[in-house]
């Protein structure tokens, strides 16, 4: 059971990647806790469906986070509609995968642009608006792959590691403006992006074998920690990464429990 509060009453948020998965989960939780949310995503249909569900507290703005003009416009909709921007969650992401020796240059560029440049452009324009009003909080969604490599995942893992360092760098620069910047590193989350993996029984079992808590995350498992980092309870936290992976990262050793 998830406790809902009015922590975000009166707050205005931007969520990129809001149309699906983790971004939609964060958006629903923000609205449940009193926020008004501008959602940016390339998936206009998904934004429309979320708008129908959430009503006046949500404004969907079709946005490609790799295109600066569009990101700037998305952020300005928050200002124009509700007069401010207090918190932002940069979630949009996807990947084209392949081994280093085979990967096409344009697949590398697609992935790194989306996963890393998209985070930079979003943070840039969110920070400008927050700075004008004296502060705010930005949460970047990175990945456990910032720390743990995956076969065929070099552009994704390298860009997610870059997003983690971007978090620290932006936190250093923006603290003087009252803006906190933190990252969430999810492990395996059950979303449309991972549905193909999770539908495969052996692969699902292999994944779960790596996760001490014994299941993939649902989007609520990520939304809770993400909202915490944006909330006043985290007012002294900036430049940090919160790994939310059911313990996956600590399973670097064989299971010795049968031998001790
Ligand atoms: N699902 C996981 O296991 C997992 C684990 C770690 C990190 N993540 C990260 O979490 C984020 C969300 O992933 P998800 O699993 O919810 O995936 P998802 O596919 O359900 O949602 C991703 C959203 O990003 C949007 N998007 C893609 N390209 C875009 C662009 N150029 N501009 C704007 N929006 C764009 C998509 O339309 C989609 O709505 C991603 O950054 C992903 O890398 C996911």
């Amino acid at each position: 059971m998830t406790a809902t509060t009015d922590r975000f009453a009166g707050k205005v948020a931007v969520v990129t990647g809001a149309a699906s998965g983790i971004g939609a989960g964060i958006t629903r939780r923000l609205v449940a806790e009193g926020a008004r949310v501008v959602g940016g995503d390339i998936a206009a249909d998904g934004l429309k469906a979320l708008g129908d569900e959430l009503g006046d507290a949500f404004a969907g703005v079709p946005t490609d986070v790799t295109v600066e003009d569009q990101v700037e416009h998305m952020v300005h909709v928050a200002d124009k509609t509700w007069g401010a921007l207090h918190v932002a969650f940069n979630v949009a992401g996807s990947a084209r995968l392949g081994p280093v020796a085979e990967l096409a240059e344009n697949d590398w560029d697609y992935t790194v642009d989306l996963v890393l440049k998209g985070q930079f452009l979003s943070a840039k324009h969110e920070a400008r608006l927050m700075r004008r009003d004296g502060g705010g909080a930005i949460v970047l969604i990175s990945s456990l792959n910032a720390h743990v490599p995956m076969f065929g995942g070099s552009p994704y893992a390298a860009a997610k590691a870059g997003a983690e360092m971007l978090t620290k760098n932006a936190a250093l620069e923006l603290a003087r403006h009252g803006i906190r910047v933190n990252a969430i590193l999810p492990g395996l989350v059950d979303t449309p992006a991972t549905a193909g993996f999770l539908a495969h029984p052996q692969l699902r079992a292999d994944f779960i074998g790596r996760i001490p808590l014994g299941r993939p995350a649902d989007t609520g498992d990520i939304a809770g920690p993400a909202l915490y980092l944006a909330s006043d309870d985290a007012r002294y936290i900036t430049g940090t990464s919160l790994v939310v992976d059911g313990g996956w990262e600590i399973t670097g050793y064989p299971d010795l429990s049968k031998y001790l």
Side-chain angles (χ1 to χ4, degrees), residues 85-109:
L85 178 63
H86 303 104
V87 293
F89 299 82
N90 298 331
V91 188
S94 185
R96 291 186 189 152
L97 302 177
V100 169
E102 320 301 336
L103 188 71
E105 183 181 359
N106 63 348
D107 289 339
W108 173 275
D109 288 345

Side-chain angles (χ1 to χ4, degrees), residues 5-69:
T5 69
D6 59 358
R7 278 186 300 187
F8 291 92
K11 303 284 189 198
V12 179
V14 158
V15 180
T16 75
S20 177
I22 294 169
I26 287 173
T27 301
R28 290 191 176 98
R29 183 80 187 264
L30 280 166
V31 170
E33 296 206 26
R36 289 161 294 176
V37 181
V38 169
D41 202 296
I42 46 168
D45 289 356
L47 292 177
K48 164 93 175 56
L50 202 55
D52 291 345
E53 176 189 329
L54 297 175
D56 290 346
F58 180 78
V61 182
T63 306
D64 182 338
V65 295
T66 67
V67 180
E68 183 156 15
D69 287 356

Side-chain angles (χ1 to χ4, degrees), residues 122-203:
S122 302
K124 173 179 175 178
H125 289 284
E126 292 154 1
R128 287 180 173 202
L129 184 49
M130 290 174 179
R131 185 175 64 185
R132 182 198 72 185
D133 294 339
I138 301 173
V139 178
L140 284 74
I141 301 297
S142 171
S143 168
L144 181 63
N145 288 123
H147 297 177
V148 177
M150 142 176 87
F151 191 92
S154 62
Y156 183 76
K160 288 294 190 185
E164 190 184 20
M165 182 49 85
L166 172 65
T167 300
K168 296 178 203 287
N169 218 95
L172 181 68
E173 294 171 4
L174 294 169
R176 68 197 61 196
H177 301 292
I179 301 169
R180 298 183 299 101
V181 189
N182 291 293
I184 295 276
L185 277 58
L188 179 68
V189 190
D190 191 352
T191 71
T194 53
F197 282 170
L198 288 170
H200 190 293
Q202 186 55 53
L203 186 50

